[in-house]
Amino acid sequence: MPRLRLALAQTNPVLGDLDGNARSIIDTVRDAASKGADLVAFGEMAISGYPIEDLAMRPSFLAAAHERVHLLARELAEAGLGDVPVIVGHPDGPFEPRLLGTSNAPTAIAQNAASVLQGGRVVARYAKHHLPNYSVFDEYRIFIPGDELLVLRIRDIDVALIICEDLWRDGGPVGRVLHADAGLLVVINGSPYERDKDEVRLPLVTRRAIETDTIVAYVNLVGGQDDLVFDGDSVVVGSDGAILARAPQFVEHLLVVDLDPEGATDAQLPDDVRRVELSPGTPSNEKPEIRAEIAELPDDREQIWNALVLALRDYVEKNHFPSVILGLSGGIDSAVCAAIAADAIGPGRVFGVSMPSRYSSGHSRSDADDLAERIGLHFRTEPIADLVLPFEVQLGLTDIAAENLQARARGVILMGLSNQEGHLVLTTGNKSELAVGYSTIYGDSVGGFAPLKDVPKMLVWELARWRNAHASSRGETPPIPENSISKPPSAELRPDQTDQDSLPEYDVLDAILEAYINGGLSIADIVELGFDRPTVERITQLVDRAEWKRRQSAIGPKISRTAFGRDRRLPITYRPTAV
Amino acid sequence: MPRLRLALAQTNPVLGDLDGNARSIIDTVRDAASKGADLVAFGEMAISGYPIEDLAMRPSFLAAAHERVHLLARELAEAGLGDVPVIVGHPDGPFEPRLLGTSNAPTAIAQNAASVLQGGRVVARYAKHHLPNYSVFDEYRIFIPGDELLVLRIRDIDVALIICEDLWRDGGPVGRVLHADAGLLVVINGSPYERDKDEVRLPLVTRRAIETDTIVAYVNLVGGQDDLVFDGDSVVVGSDGAILARAPQFVEHLLVVDLDPEGATDAQLPDDVRRVELSPGTPSNEKPEIRAEIAELPDDREQIWNALVLALRDYVEKNHFPSVILGLSGGIDSAVCAAIAADAIGPGRVFGVSMPSRYSSGHSRSDADDLAERIGLHFRTEPIADLVLPFEVQLGLTDIAAENLQARARGVILMGLSNQEGHLVLTTGNKSELAVGYSTIYGDSVGGFAPLKDVPKMLVWELARWRNAHASSRGETPPIPENSISKPPSAELRPDQTDQDSLPEYDVLDAILEAYINGGLSIADIVELGFDRPTVERITQLVDRAEWKRRQSAIGPKISRTAFGRDRRLPITYRPTAV
């Protein structure tokens, strides 16, 4: 005889597509209502997608989002779904700019909000208090913080509502809603995946539940948005810290759970907490109890693989590409990229091109051919010798200039086929080689999406082995040729070249990169960890130089408020309506 | 009989080059001392360059900057310059991270500080209170705000010290140092140029001087740092609002001025204001009075030209490029870029390449030739027909794919020559065509620096006319061929093509872009300004699509805290010592 049936809607919105996202929300509410939900909660910014970045500075977009939420409330009621209260995250505004004295600078005019819809109306609203501005987050730049807390009374249960970062801050809204004696704390989130994030996220939710003696329901977005991947992993934790329900990672999911929260008291609310009484709806004690799902997280490598697959799929689909194309060198990086692409959108939409030069080994062609056959992708061969020679002769290029020419001819081929046939070009470089600048600008770096951009080389091998073993365990053909995994890596830009001619072994390289880039350690610190000083000096110098090389095409002087690059450095993928 | 001789040092630091910047500071203090200065003030972050971006997250860099300031104090004393107090801006740290609850996120460990050096020691220190986080500024992300105000007592004059944004905020530190009855307010700045910035900056300084009844001395950095250009324009304004001294724009300058501020009172200081007594030094009433310079600002077009020239020069010099190379099409954009480059580093370091195709007009070659001769730059011709044909035939490319091929062959030529000979490649696109995506990715967009990235097409023409008139007025050869200015613009990728085949007239285009990008207006708003709706819809759609095209090579899924791109999106140019 549960007192509240809660539905957490883990959805995958398309950034900027207000109408499309609203339609998908209505479908999900219909599903939740058919399962007897008393309350449905969607993720942060579910109506607009997240992060909205520069769109937060456009008054017309904010007004459209505001309007769309009110329209959604009416549409839900017209669809016979007006009874069940629905919590939906959205950008709101435009508001008066946050005061910045006389600087006359472009300032925040938006809030990161959640509205509660019932009976055809927006009956309550909350604005996020804590605006993260570290790592991938830029919220302090674009949002005005909220200053009022919200408690919803549903029949006789008090439900407090906060947004994402609000949960993370000690002494933040969580501490104050505690005084409201809520039985349930709903947190709506746009929390991107990163490796081992479950080692901080779930313990935090658990700790907050225990600290506040409240059930905590955590609903997250899912899906790829440019270089972010939201993993879902929505969860409900009881006030004793036990997991009551958990959604699977990396898929859309409606998590329905029956809860028995503490009843509301008539405790005096703090001044900044607003309580809103909702209509009772259908009492849930008439419904047979539901056994809530508690999904298990797969192991680390499978999580990473799933993240990479979903990121690529959503980039392709949300940007409406029919297919992808990539160079297949016979090496490990392009093989893993091809396997990710086939898992993401099916092998029939993956086009591989072998582009052998006069220095290419026999195995580079046969391994590429083997890969194409294992995966079942489209495969063609475009030799580059006759394309490169005229440049080399006319310009008199030698040494590295001539080596780079080969990589650039391949870039021109892939972009030409992309322009002719419509494919998205994948660039296959991994994080280790990107970090040290071991690639050719406008050559192998050409492409619209880089599946392995954040995957160090040692992890590329690990993922390849995992993916093959995973296939074997299910009786499928392992997609990646064993030879691509086991042979020494080489750019094959001159005879008998291998990566280790100019780089240390990859296990050493990756460890130094981890210390220098992720750890922020100095050269002295890294040497102290046990690495050879000349190697550390060489690698850190390569990283500093590559940092510069990576942005070789983005720099130009700024003379106005809205130069491209720095000001407009917050681009978004998809704007179906330029409002 | 002035009571205080103040020297404002408008210097051009190299980002990250702590030792080099310190050496230049010592030279400047020696100069100021020889001119009898009682107090010398350098700009914001003068010891490290500005903005330091991701370096603010590196503990070892912060420790090195901190140490370097203390070493500088000792070096000044050893050079016999210990008497004169010197105010110098610098990053400071590492400090305990700013509390962000349990989120375990990378947070600020640095402060944006100013130290006062005298007698071989750091005798006082101030940390910036207001951390701008809009437009090009990301300071809230990387710095911890200061919470104490500083007043220096020099003989019997109280000098309040604040940093940049502190001046802009109503009710900020300025209001509070007013209670300290200071006679002089010194503001050290890193304030980048933008068009018409003098229309807000000087009025603000003037207003603060009048409001606080205090002399305000505003010292700014000068120089190019990636896409920012600091313009100097340091100024001293009397308490009646009159300009007492003003440094010229876009050059290093030591501005020396004799001031007669109100004497110190023994007013009780607010709790958060610290007063530090400095040694008296040599009394300045022994020195003959100096007539301070009051530089005049040149007109708008000359200011912009100077900004573009300085930005290019500093990018080339600070990154140690021997020379630049660019394609010369005979059109206006490449002509203006070549003229800027010649003004920046001299024609002997500028290499132009004419790369005619089978569609190139006769005038494209003759105009390029004319330009090269006028400017006196190095010039060569590399026809592309024989380079393009093998690709076109082998891949079967047609239409736009074939057009892009021509632009990409040119990109390969310029990068090949760059790799072979060491030049920095300039990409010559203007802001209007970048905004609507009227360029070929990995084609004409190839290059390390884009001089016209933030210059709309109409302004390109205006600058060309201004530069030619400027030359004529000085009896010099106008650098830009009249025909390049007057002929209709064309990409010449097919026969008889002009830009206006696919774009509206540039005056209309630029006005719509201004409204949409700079003004943040909606389509409806822009139509209401009097533009044709279909044109507005087409242009705004092109902008939205181009926004996506511009970052085609930057995207990849993020799976760790330090993916390249978003996290490491704050790169800096030059790190001579990887500390």
Side-chain angles (χ1 to χ4, degrees):
Chain A
M1 205 170 69
R3 298 178 53 212
L4 188 82
R5 178 163 294 176
L6 175 68
L8 298 184
Q10 176 172 300
T11 62
N12 186 348
V14 174
L15 208 142
D17 186 6
L18 302 172
D19 287 328
N21 295 332
R23 280 194 299 275
S24 137
I25 288 172
I26 294 170
D27 290 343
T28 307
V29 172
R30 186 175 292 114
D31 185 15
S34 77
K35 290 175 174 146
D38 299 310
L39 176 65
V40 188
F42 289 82
E44 185 173 10
M45 298 276 176
I47 199 93
S48 60
Y50 182 83
I52 63 166
E53 305 188 332
D54 56 325
L55 287 178
M57 305 303 268
R58 291 197 81 80
S60 55
F61 180 78
L62 297 171
H66 179 91
E67 270 314 298
R68 198 64 196 77
V69 172
H70 286 260
L71 177 59
L72 174 62
R74 296 195 295 274
E75 288 170 342
L76 284 168
E78 285 159 16
L81 303 165
D83 273 2
V84 54
V86 173
I87 297 168
V88 62
H90 62 96
D92 207 1
F95 300 104
E96 282 299 301
R98 178 166 48 186
L99 187 72
L100 271 186
T102 53
S103 71
N104 199 25
T107 55
I109 54 171
Q111 285 195 319
N112 181 335
S115 283
V116 185
L117 318 182
Q118 193 179 42
R121 294 186 312 114
V122 173
V123 295
R125 184 183 168 283
Y126 171 78
K128 189 174 185 175
H129 283 215
H130 290 294
L131 302 173
N133 211 68
Y134 51 83
S135 181
V136 300
F137 303 109
D138 260 311
E139 295 204 358
Y140 182 80
R141 171 182 278 270
I142 58 172
F143 292 123
I144 302 167
D147 56 6
E148 196 179 60
L149 295 167
L150 178 66
V151 170
L152 306 168
R153 181 159 291 181
I154 303 177
R155 286 193 295 274
D156 68 335
I157 299 164
D158 277 352
V159 180
L161 172 63
I162 61 175
I163 302 178
C164 206
E165 186 79 2
D166 292 335
L167 184 75
W168 293 81
R169 304 288 184 108
D170 286 323
V174 168
R176 306 220 311 286
V177 289
L178 179 64
H179 293 288
D181 267 341
L184 172 65
L185 176 64
V186 172
V187 196
I188 71 170
N189 303 274
S191 176
Y193 173 74
E194 62 183 41
R195 213 175 164 178
D196 301 328
K197 187 131 183 194
D198 54 303
E199 288 173 18
V200 288
R201 201 154 56 189
L202 180 60
L204 172 78
V205 173
T206 307
R207 181 145 51 87
R208 293 298 190 222
I210 294 171
E211 278 171 10
T212 60
D213 193 26
T214 307
I215 300 171
V216 178
Y218 182 102
V219 57
N220 194 14
L221 300 175
V222 70
Q225 171 54 36
D226 290 356
D227 53 356
L228 299 184
V229 199
F230 299 93
D231 59 332
D233 194 16
S234 302
V235 69
V236 181
V237 172
S239 57
D240 59 353
I243 297 180
L244 303 177
R246 187 171 197 176
Q249 263 189 324
F250 299 117
V251 290
E252 290 199 301
H253 190 79
L254 185 70
L255 185 68
V256 183
V257 57
D258 286 333
L259 302 175
D260 201 358
E262 292 288 317
T265 66
D266 280 324
Q268 180 73 32
L269 289 179
D271 279 353
D272 59 351
V273 182
R274 193 159 163 252
R275 186 189 287 139
V276 174
E277 187 99 26
L278 301 181
S279 304
T282 321
S284 51
N285 52 10
E286 317 251 325
K287 309 161 197 165
E289 198 162 336
I290 275 190
R291 195 185 162 83
E293 176 173 6
I294 302 185
E296 294 214 3
L297 281 190
D299 95 346
D300 186 39
R301 291 156 314 169
E302 185 167 353
Q303 287 189 41
I304 294 171
W305 188 269
N306 290 341
L308 299 176
V309 166
L310 180 58
L312 175 57
R313 180 189 305 137
D314 277 358
Y315 194 81
V316 169
E317 304 295 10
K318 291 178 180 179
N319 288 295
H320 307 289
F321 282 101
S323 48
V324 300
I325 192 168
L326 73 169
L328 299 183
S329 68
I332 183 73
D333 295 331
S334 58
V336 167
C337 283
I340 290 169
D343 284 359
I345 56 174
R349 294 168 70 190
V350 181
F351 292 75
V353 189
S354 168
M355 296 176 282
S357 75
R358 56 192 137 143
Y359 305 120
S360 294
S361 56
H363 60 74
S364 81
R365 300 176 212 208
S366 59
D367 291 341
D369 199 61
D370 184 11
L371 173 82
E373 197 162 313
R374 284 164 176 274
I375 293 182
L377 48 77
H378 303 274
F379 185 63
R380 67 200 278 181
T381 301
E382 297 289 354
I384 63 167
D386 296 344
L387 306 174
V388 165
L389 196 65
F391 279 93
E392 208 172 290
V393 170
Q394 180 172 327
L395 301 172
L397 302 185
T398 56
D399 301 319
I400 285 192
E403 289 183 24
N404 283 337
L405 196 53
Q406 301 169 51
R408 292 200 180 107
R410 293 186 176 117
V412 173
I413 290 174
L414 292 175
M415 287 306 298
L417 295 174
S418 164
N419 290 159
Q420 187 80 22
E421 299 167 9
H423 321 289
L424 168 69
V425 177
L426 301 184
T427 174
T428 61
N430 62 70
K431 185 174 185 171
S432 308
E433 67 183 34
L434 288 173
V436 292
Y438 197 75
S439 72
T440 299
I441 185 169
Y442 313 124
D444 51 317
S445 68
V446 155
F449 195 83
L452 303 181
K453 185 178 165 187
D454 198 21
V455 183
K457 186 79 176 189
M458 295 299 291
L459 183 56
V460 175
W461 275 306
E462 215 184 308
L463 289 174
R465 285 191 208 98
W466 172 82
R467 182 63 184 82
N468 275 0
H470 184 69
S472 297
S473 75
R474 300 194 299 184
E476 295 164 6
T477 309
I480 297 158
E482 194 48 42
N483 198 39
S484 296
I485 302 180
S486 56
K487 69 184 174 186
S490 167
E492 295 198 332
L493 294 174
R494 56 174 183 268
D496 300 322
Q497 185 183 26
T498 77
D499 292 9
Q500 271 53 61
D501 296 348
S502 38
L503 297 176
E505 291 298 326
Y506 274 112
D507 54 346
V508 172
L509 178 63
D510 282 3
I512 292 174
L513 293 174
E514 170 70 22
Y516 188 60
I517 301 174
N518 286 24
L521 299 189
S522 68
I523 291 173
D525 295 336
I526 301 171
V527 170
E528 217 158 278
L529 292 178
F531 294 97
D532 176 50
R533 176 174 281 274
T535 304
V536 175
E537 281 177 352
R538 193 158 59 86
I539 297 305
T540 54
Q541 212 164 51
L542 286 173
V543 171
D544 290 349
R545 288 190 48 201
E547 183 76 56
W548 169 84
K549 183 170 164 186
R550 251 194 302 287
R551 67 209 169 79
Q552 267 251 30
S553 55
I555 296 299
K558 177 183 148 47
I559 64 161
S560 75
R561 184 176 292 166
T562 54
F564 295 116
R566 211 170 282 253
D567 280 50
R568 302 274 297 172
R569 78 177 167 197
L570 299 168
I572 56 113
T573 304
Y574 179 68
R575 307 193 199 189
T577 47
V579 283
Chain B
M1 207 171 64
R3 297 177 56 212
L4 187 82
R5 179 162 294 174
L6 175 69
L8 298 184
Q10 176 171 300
T11 61
N12 186 348
V14 174
L15 208 141
D17 186 6
L18 301 172
D19 287 328
N21 296 331
R23 279 194 298 275
S24 136
I25 287 171
I26 294 171
D27 290 343
T28 306
V29 172
R30 185 175 292 117
D31 186 15
S34 77
K35 290 175 174 146
D38 300 311
L39 175 64
V40 189
F42 289 82
E44 185 173 10
M45 297 276 174
I47 199 93
S48 60
Y50 181 81
I52 63 166
E53 306 189 335
D54 56 325
L55 287 178
M57 305 302 267
R58 292 196 81 78
S60 54
F61 180 78
L62 298 171
H66 179 90
E67 271 312 299
R68 198 65 196 76
V69 172
H70 286 259
L71 176 59
L72 174 62
R74 294 195 294 277
E75 289 170 341
L76 283 168
E78 284 159 15
L81 302 166
D83 273 2
V84 54
V86 174
I87 297 168
V88 61
H90 62 94
D92 208 359
F95 300 105
E96 283 298 300
R98 180 167 47 189
L99 187 73
L100 271 186
T102 53
S103 70
N104 199 26
T107 55
I109 55 172
Q111 285 195 320
N112 182 335
S115 283
V116 186
L117 318 183
Q118 194 180 42
R121 294 187 310 114
V122 173
V123 295
R125 186 184 167 280
Y126 172 77
K128 189 173 187 177
H129 282 216
H130 290 294
L131 303 173
N133 212 68
Y134 51 83
S135 180
V136 300
F137 303 108
D138 260 312
E139 295 203 0
Y140 183 79
R141 171 184 278 270
I142 58 172
F143 292 123
I144 302 167
D147 56 6
E148 196 179 61
L149 295 168
L150 178 66
V151 170
L152 306 167
R153 181 159 291 181
I154 303 178
R155 287 193 294 273
D156 69 334
I157 299 164
D158 275 352
V159 180
L161 171 62
I162 60 175
I163 302 178
C164 206
E165 186 79 4
D166 292 335
L167 184 75
W168 293 81
R169 305 287 184 107
D170 286 324
V174 168
R176 306 218 313 286
V177 289
L178 179 63
H179 292 288
D181 266 341
L184 171 65
L185 176 64
V186 172
V187 195
I188 70 170
N189 303 272
S191 175
Y193 172 74
E194 64 183 42
R195 213 174 163 177
D196 301 328
K197 187 130 182 196
D198 53 304
E199 288 173 18
V200 289
R201 201 154 55 188
L202 181 61
L204 171 78
V205 174
T206 307
R207 181 146 49 86
R208 293 299 189 220
I210 294 170
E211 278 170 11
T212 60
D213 192 26
T214 307
I215 301 171
V216 177
Y218 181 101
V219 56
N220 194 14
L221 300 176
V222 68
Q225 171 55 35
D226 290 355
D227 53 354
L228 300 183
V229 199
F230 298 93
D231 59 331
D233 194 17
S234 302
V235 69
V236 181
V237 172
S239 58
D240 58 353
I243 296 180
L244 303 178
R246 187 172 197 176
Q249 262 189 325
F250 299 118
V251 290
E252 290 199 299
H253 191 78
L254 185 72
L255 186 69
V256 183
V257 58
D258 285 331
L259 301 174
D260 200 359
E262 292 287 318
T265 64
D266 281 324
Q268 180 74 31
L269 291 179
D271 278 352
D272 58 352
V273 182
R274 191 159 164 252
R275 185 188 288 139
V276 173
E277 188 98 26
L278 300 181
S279 305
T282 321
S284 52
N285 52 10
E286 318 249 325
K287 310 160 196 164
E289 197 163 336
I290 274 190
R291 196 187 163 81
E293 177 174 6
I294 301 186
E296 293 214 3
L297 280 190
D299 95 345
D300 187 38
R301 291 157 312 170
E302 186 168 353
Q303 286 188 42
I304 294 171
W305 189 270
N306 291 342
L308 299 177
V309 166
L310 180 57
L312 176 57
R313 180 189 305 136
D314 277 359
Y315 195 80
V316 168
E317 305 296 8
K318 291 179 179 178
N319 288 294
H320 307 290
F321 282 102
S323 49
V324 301
I325 193 167
L326 74 168
L328 298 183
S329 69
I332 183 72
D333 296 331
S334 58
V336 168
C337 283
I340 291 169
D343 284 0
I345 55 174
R349 295 168 70 191
V350 181
F351 292 74
V353 190
S354 168
M355 296 176 282
S357 75
R358 57 193 136 145
Y359 304 121
S360 295
S361 57
H363 60 72
S364 80
R365 299 176 214 208
S366 58
D367 292 342
D369 199 60
D370 185 11
L371 172 81
E373 198 163 313
R374 283 164 177 273
I375 293 182
L377 48 76
H378 303 275
F379 185 63
R380 68 199 278 181
T381 300
E382 297 289 353
I384 63 168
D386 296 344
L387 306 174
V388 165
L389 195 65
F391 279 93
E392 208 172 290
V393 170
Q394 179 173 328
L395 301 171
L397 302 184
T398 57
D399 302 321
I400 286 193
E403 289 183 24
N404 284 336
L405 196 53
Q406 301 170 52
R408 293 199 180 107
R410 292 185 176 119
V412 172
I413 289 174
L414 293 175
M415 287 306 298
L417 295 174
S418 164
N419 290 158
Q420 187 80 19
E421 299 167 9
H423 321 290
L424 168 69
V425 177
L426 301 183
T427 173
T428 61
N430 63 70
K431 185 174 185 169
S432 307
E433 66 183 33
L434 287 173
V436 293
Y438 196 75
S439 74
T440 298
I441 184 170
Y442 313 123
D444 52 316
S445 68
V446 156
F449 195 82
L452 303 180
K453 184 178 165 185
D454 199 21
V455 182
K457 186 77 176 190
M458 296 299 291
L459 183 56
V460 176
W461 274 307
E462 216 184 306
L463 290 174
R465 285 192 207 96
W466 172 83
R467 182 63 185 81
N468 275 1
H470 185 68
S472 297
S473 75
R474 300 196 298 184
E476 296 163 5
T477 309
I480 297 158
E482 195 47 44
N483 197 41
S484 295
I485 302 180
S486 57
K487 70 185 174 185
S490 166
E492 295 199 333
L493 295 174
R494 57 176 182 266
D496 300 323
Q497 184 182 26
T498 76
D499 291 9
Q500 272 54 61
D501 296 347
S502 38
L503 298 174
E505 291 298 326
Y506 274 112
D507 55 346
V508 172
L509 178 63
D510 281 3
I512 293 173
L513 293 176
E514 171 70 22
Y516 188 61
I517 300 175
N518 286 23
L521 299 189
S522 69
I523 291 174
D525 296 335
I526 301 171
V527 170
E528 215 157 278
L529 293 177
F531 295 96
D532 176 50
R533 175 174 283 274
T535 304
V536 175
E537 281 176 353
R538 192 158 60 88
I539 298 304
T540 54
Q541 212 164 51
L542 286 173
V543 171
D544 290 349
R545 287 190 49 201
E547 182 77 54
W548 169 85
K549 182 170 162 186
R550 249 194 302 289
R551 68 209 167 80
Q552 267 251 30
S553 56
I555 295 300
K558 178 183 148 44
I559 63 160
S560 75
R561 183 176 291 166
T562 53
F564 294 116
R566 209 169 281 253
D567 279 51
R568 301 273 299 171
R569 75 170 174 205
L570 299 169
I572 57 114
T573 303
Y574 179 68
R575 307 193 201 189
T577 47
V579 283

